[in-house]
Amino acid sequence: MSDDHLSRLSLNQETIKQWSLPELTEGCVKAGVGMVGLWRAPVQEYGVERTARLLADAGLTVTSLCRGGFFTALDPAERARALDDNRAAIDEAAALSTDTLVLVSGGLPPGSRDLYGARERVADALAELAPYAATRGVRLAIEPLHPMYASDRCVVSTLGQALDLAERFPADQVGVVVDTYHLWWDDRAPAQIARAGAGGRIHSFQLADWITPLPAGVLLGRGQLGDGSVDFREFRRLVEAAGFDGPIEVEIFNEALWARDGAEALAEVAERYVQHAC
Amino acid sequence: MSDDHLSRLSLNQETIKQWSLPELTEGCVKAGVGMVGLWRAPVQEYGVERTARLLADAGLTVTSLCRGGFFTALDPAERARALDDNRAAIDEAAALSTDTLVLVSGGLPPGSRDLYGARERVADALAELAPYAATRGVRLAIEPLHPMYASDRCVVSTLGQALDLAERFPADQVGVVVDTYHLWWDDRAPAQIARAGAGGRIHSFQLADWITPLPAGVLLGRGQLGDGSVDFREFRRLVEAAGFDGPIEVEIFNEALWARDGAEALAEVAERYVQHAC
């Protein structure tokens, strides 16, 4: 496949979780993939500055850092800790020279049934964090997760809800993530992608396929591109029609993919990306 | 608890699946529950006419029959079989003296990624079946299922989508099911419930709670009322504000509930219903 085909592809490191950061770096360079999305835990383990140097020396660009968020606690001390942790995540994003911090809002606090209140606490947290992020050159990208995560992980379930929150803030401070895994089922997603693009709020575009049966806990069942129900070419057409021309990040959580040789798994990802999303 | 409290309660038989139809009948009469929702397979096994007599003799009312649907096949022969099966389901509903047949639309055909086309095939099937159902005094009730079932079970994922389909037909022929398990996460549900009520299209109101972690396959993880994230009193307020005053059916698929003594499980359902939905 041609360089041209892979020029927009970013590999989210969780897709080839079996790789250390040096392995990821070497593997991407060998495969002709010039961009990566990172996660905080492995980066912290390797060292933030050390990761930044490793990637810069190899000529790799960091397209996003996952993730901040978890803003829905009712307890003031827990809430203060979450804000502190998000300021640290913003600093890490800046140190890695990425302009995009992905936010997962958090679920319902134990015993609560108040989705509306939880979403308002997300807005309150954004109001505190967005100006700080702006001073570090970092944009906050709200990721709506599939409604099956609404209680325990993310009370923001649709792109419409994410935009309702984001639009309270300047577009260069708060935007959204368009992730096919979370949005593929929603007949309102096309109109909301257009809305997001018109406002300059598509900060990240991520791909994973939807496959069934879902595993227990529904966290690690994302599909390799082409194995499931998502029409990637149509999603790419929608974001591009909305003005998005940024990186296309593949982020798949799948235990079968993690059990394979990393280079082989990445080669398949690249091949499927070209086949289904180019 | 008073009779008055239970006067609106209907027990969907799948909630106490361990009971045979005679056990269900006896158990409901003993517990002061005067209405039941039925499923085709156990009714067919016991005999449709025989079930109708059993329930009528005990003074029990059938509030709904689950289920018809599965309209999304592309293969003409498979599609014809589905329509035949749905005509049989309509006849069974009429024989059981219930006016409501619950429809689950069906998922994507193997290899298809076309949700829009699948939803249009649902509309085509409704156009064939609704007039026949009307001659039998049966209304078709489209049940939107949670988006996590969109690929393998039901391409109708929101109340808005269900109403977009139902509103192509007369309200006394095609309506919707409002099931808390499937809709609780959706911030658009309140407005769509109002829309459904204004059009006289709330044909069934069903309760189950949302609990996590979800089990593998995500089919049997519904929660006993009060164990999860659903605000039942608010849902009841919404459907009643929209003009609905029909039966309130409890339909929980939960293996722990099925493992218990049926009378004990039903007593808990009734207690939780009064506690959380009255």
Side-chain angles (χ1 to χ4, degrees):
Chain A
M1 65 208 71
S2 73
D3 279 344
D4 180 57
H5 268 117
L6 297 187
S7 65
R8 298 272 301 278
L9 175 63
S10 172
L11 176 69
N12 187 286
Q13 77 173 123
E14 199 71 4
T15 306
I16 319 284
K17 190 186 181 163
Q18 60 273 46
W19 268 346
S20 67
L21 274 159
E23 287 169 337
L24 176 77
T25 305
E26 192 188 336
C28 283
V29 169
K30 274 193 185 160
V33 174
M35 300 186 284
V36 292
L38 299 180
W39 280 68
R40 290 183 72 198
V43 167
Q44 287 168 350
E45 201 182 316
Y46 190 75
V48 178
E49 297 298 340
R50 197 171 160 218
T51 301
R53 276 197 308 275
L54 175 75
L55 297 174
D57 288 349
L60 294 179
T61 301
V62 182
T63 54
S64 72
L65 180 65
C66 283
R67 64 191 181 200
F70 294 88
F71 295 133
T72 51
L74 286 160
D75 174 60
E78 204 178 322
R79 181 180 166 71
R81 275 195 301 276
L83 291 173
D84 284 346
D85 186 53
N86 274 274
R87 279 184 280 263
I90 290 163
D91 294 342
E92 289 161 25
L96 294 164
S97 302
T98 176
D99 63 358
T100 301
L101 177 65
V102 173
L103 302 182
V104 171
S105 71
L108 288 171
S112 170
R113 299 183 175 103
D114 180 12
L115 282 170
Y116 300 88
R119 290 181 191 129
E120 282 309 305
R121 291 195 295 284
V122 175
D124 293 346
L126 291 170
E128 296 212 31
L129 293 170
Y132 177 73
T135 67
R136 309 302 313 265
V138 175
R139 308 178 303 180
L140 304 178
I142 305 170
E143 180 162 18
L145 296 201
H146 192 284
M148 69 187 176
Y149 302 114
S151 68
D152 59 359
R153 192 164 292 269
C154 186
V155 294
V156 178
S157 302
T158 64
L159 192 53
Q161 291 172 357
L163 286 166
D164 288 346
L165 287 165
E167 287 171 357
R168 304 189 195 185
F169 305 94
D172 59 353
Q173 290 184 15
V174 184
V176 297
V177 179
V178 173
D179 185 319
T180 61
Y181 187 77
H182 300 300
L183 305 178
W184 77 278
W185 61 273
D186 186 358
D187 61 345
R188 302 184 77 236
Q192 298 302 317
I193 288 172
R195 172 184 167 196
R201 292 185 193 269
I202 302 178
H203 288 186
S204 176
F205 177 41
Q206 297 184 330
L207 310 185
D209 214 338
W210 176 270
I211 55 173
T212 57
L214 293 162
V218 302
L219 204 57
L220 307 182
R222 303 194 189 181
Q224 171 66 283
L225 313 186
D227 283 351
S229 306
V230 176
D231 186 340
F232 294 103
R233 209 166 269 116
E234 174 62 7
F235 260 94
R236 181 168 174 171
R237 190 189 66 72
L238 289 167
V239 296
E240 292 184 351
F244 178 79
D245 61 1
I248 301 173
E249 202 173 301
V250 175
E251 185 192 50
I252 304 169
F253 307 162
N254 181 300
E255 289 183 317
L257 211 55
W258 294 336
R260 291 168 62 182
D261 170 74
E264 190 187 297
L266 174 54
E268 190 185 83
V269 164
E271 185 187 311
R272 295 295 190 91
Y273 167 81
V274 170
Q275 192 180 346
H276 294 281
C278 289
Chain B
M1 70 208 69
S2 73
D3 280 343
D4 179 58
H5 268 117
L6 297 187
S7 66
R8 298 272 301 279
L9 175 63
S10 172
L11 176 69
N12 187 287
Q13 76 173 123
E14 200 71 4
T15 306
I16 319 284
K17 188 185 182 165
Q18 59 272 48
W19 268 346
S20 67
L21 275 158
E23 288 168 337
L24 177 76
T25 305
E26 192 189 337
C28 282
V29 169
K30 275 194 184 158
V33 173
M35 300 186 284
V36 293
L38 299 180
W39 279 68
R40 292 183 71 198
V43 167
Q44 287 169 350
E45 200 182 317
Y46 189 75
V48 178
E49 297 297 341
R50 198 172 161 221
T51 301
R53 278 196 306 277
L54 174 75
L55 296 173
D57 289 349
L60 293 180
T61 301
V62 182
T63 54
S64 71
L65 180 65
C66 283
R67 62 183 187 214
F70 294 89
F71 295 133
T72 51
L74 285 161
D75 174 60
E78 202 179 324
R79 180 179 168 73
R81 275 195 301 276
L83 290 172
D84 283 346
D85 186 54
N86 274 275
R87 279 183 282 262
I90 290 163
D91 293 343
E92 289 161 24
L96 294 164
S97 301
T98 177
D99 63 357
T100 301
L101 177 66
V102 174
L103 302 182
V104 171
S105 72
L108 288 173
S112 170
R113 300 182 174 102
D114 181 13
L115 283 170
Y116 300 88
R119 290 182 190 128
E120 282 309 304
R121 291 194 295 286
V122 176
D124 293 345
L126 291 170
E128 296 211 30
L129 294 170
Y132 177 73
T135 66
R136 309 301 314 265
V138 174
R139 307 178 303 179
L140 304 177
I142 305 169
E143 179 162 17
L145 296 201
H146 192 284
M148 70 188 175
Y149 302 115
S151 68
D152 59 359
R153 192 163 293 268
C154 187
V155 294
V156 178
S157 302
T158 64
L159 192 53
Q161 291 172 358
L163 287 166
D164 288 347
L165 286 165
E167 287 170 356
R168 303 190 195 185
F169 306 94
D172 60 353
Q173 290 185 14
V174 184
V176 297
V177 179
V178 173
D179 184 319
T180 61
Y181 187 77
H182 300 299
L183 304 178
W184 77 277
W185 61 271
D186 187 359
D187 60 345
R188 303 184 78 235
Q192 298 302 317
I193 288 171
R195 172 184 167 195
R201 293 186 192 268
I202 302 178
H203 289 186
S204 175
F205 177 41
Q206 297 185 329
L207 311 185
D209 215 338
W210 176 269
I211 55 173
T212 57
L214 292 162
V218 302
L219 205 55
L220 308 181
R222 301 193 191 183
Q224 171 67 284
L225 312 186
D227 283 351
S229 307
V230 176
D231 186 340
F232 294 103
R233 210 166 268 115
E234 173 63 6
F235 260 95
R236 182 169 174 172
R237 191 189 67 71
L238 288 167
V239 295
E240 293 184 349
F244 178 79
D245 61 1
I248 301 174
E249 202 172 303
V250 175
E251 186 191 50
I252 304 170
F253 307 162
N254 181 301
E255 289 185 317
L257 211 55
W258 294 338
R260 293 169 60 180
D261 170 72
E264 190 187 298
L266 175 53
E268 190 185 84
V269 165
E271 185 188 311
R272 295 296 188 90
Y273 167 80
V274 170
Q275 192 179 344
H276 294 281
C278 289

